[in-house]
Amino acid sequence: MKKSNGNLVHSFNIAVFISGRGSNLLSIIKKSLNRNSLFRVSLVLSNKGSAKGLKLAKKYGIKTLISDFTKSKAKEKKVIKIVNKNQIKLICLAGFMKILSNNFIKSFKGKIINIHPSLLPKYKGLNTHEKVVKNKDTYTGCTVHFVTKKLDSGEIILKKKVRVKINDNKITIEKKVLKIEHKIYPEAIVKVLSNF
């Protein structure tokens, strides 16, 4: 960690890609505000202009970008350029509900991570909490993993489990899992960046 004018300088710029409320974004921002943080959130991208997380980013003075780039090669090229221009070392998908192209993943190989609301490799894709209820699982949780071209199949960075009680439903399970997501996602970011 270098010092500049007596202040600690963040080692790494990260970008967070969102589609909605940005609750994981908030936990990442809070972690970044710690005095000795290894990273700072330099860019928040959303594929939706209505995403509540954009207001959150603006509140903390973070640069925002609205682009549904997954449907356009020209837009994707522009986003890649912006990410590189901002010297982003890690892209964190936090409720980003779009599939990245193979080209985008290849452009940032080993530098894109995602959080998934299940104990991977169990329940890849959507509707994870419904599957937990249907199968009467006694445990569920969340997983932070590297993004590869195969959905929810990249190398696991961190995962944490939570107990499912007999009276739990998909809403109560979602709340439990979200609580641990907020804890482990910032930890996973630090873990990945520590190896850079």
Side-chain angles (χ1 to χ4, degrees), residues 10 59 65 91 94 103 111 114 124 188:
H10 298 281
K59 181 186 168 185
L65 178 64
I91 295 170
N103 177 60
K111 294 181 178 179
N114 180 49
K124 295 173 184 179

Side-chain angles (χ1 to χ4, degrees), residues 57-83:
K58 283 173 185 169
K59 181 186 168 185
Y60 285 92
I62 300 163
K63 192 183 293 182
T64 59
L65 178 64
I66 300 160
S67 177
D68 191 2
F69 68 92
T70 57
K71 290 178 181 176
S72 158
K73 283 186 179 179
K75 285 181 182 177
E76 180 184 88
K77 201 175 174 184
K78 194 178 173 186
V79 168
I80 290 170
K81 200 174 175 183
I82 291 166
V83 168

Side-chain angles (χ1 to χ4, degrees), residues 102-121:
N102 290 346
N103 177 60
F104 191 89
I105 293 165
K106 205 174 164 185
S107 299
F108 301 104
K109 196 179 175 187
K111 294 181 178 179
I112 309 174
I113 64 173
N114 180 49
I115 191 155
H116 185 74
S118 80
L119 295 170
L120 291 174

Side-chain angles (χ1 to χ4, degrees), residues 87-103:
Q87 297 179 309
I88 301 298
K89 297 295 178 190
L90 190 67
I91 295 170
C92 306
L93 308 182
F96 186 65
M97 304 306 287
K98 289 284 181 178
I99 302 290
L100 298 172
S101 75
N102 290 346
N103 177 60

Side-chain angles (χ1 to χ4, degrees), residues 13-71:
N13 292 335
I14 71 164
V16 182
F17 287 15
I18 62 168
S19 292
R21 63 193 166 190
S23 69
N24 269 306
L25 169 63
L26 181 59
S27 69
I28 292 166
I29 291 170
K30 283 181 175 175
K31 180 77 172 177
S32 77
L33 296 174
N34 290 348
R35 191 171 171 269
N36 296 317
S37 176
L38 196 58
F39 65 90
R40 72 185 185 101
V41 183
S42 299
L43 178 69
V44 171
L45 177 144
S46 177
N47 60 300
K48 289 181 179 178
S50 60
K52 287 181 182 175
L54 289 169
K55 287 182 183 175
L56 192 62
K58 283 173 185 169
K59 181 186 168 185
Y60 285 92
I62 300 163
K63 192 183 293 182
T64 59
L65 178 64
I66 300 160
S67 177
D68 191 2
F69 68 92
T70 57
K71 290 178 181 176

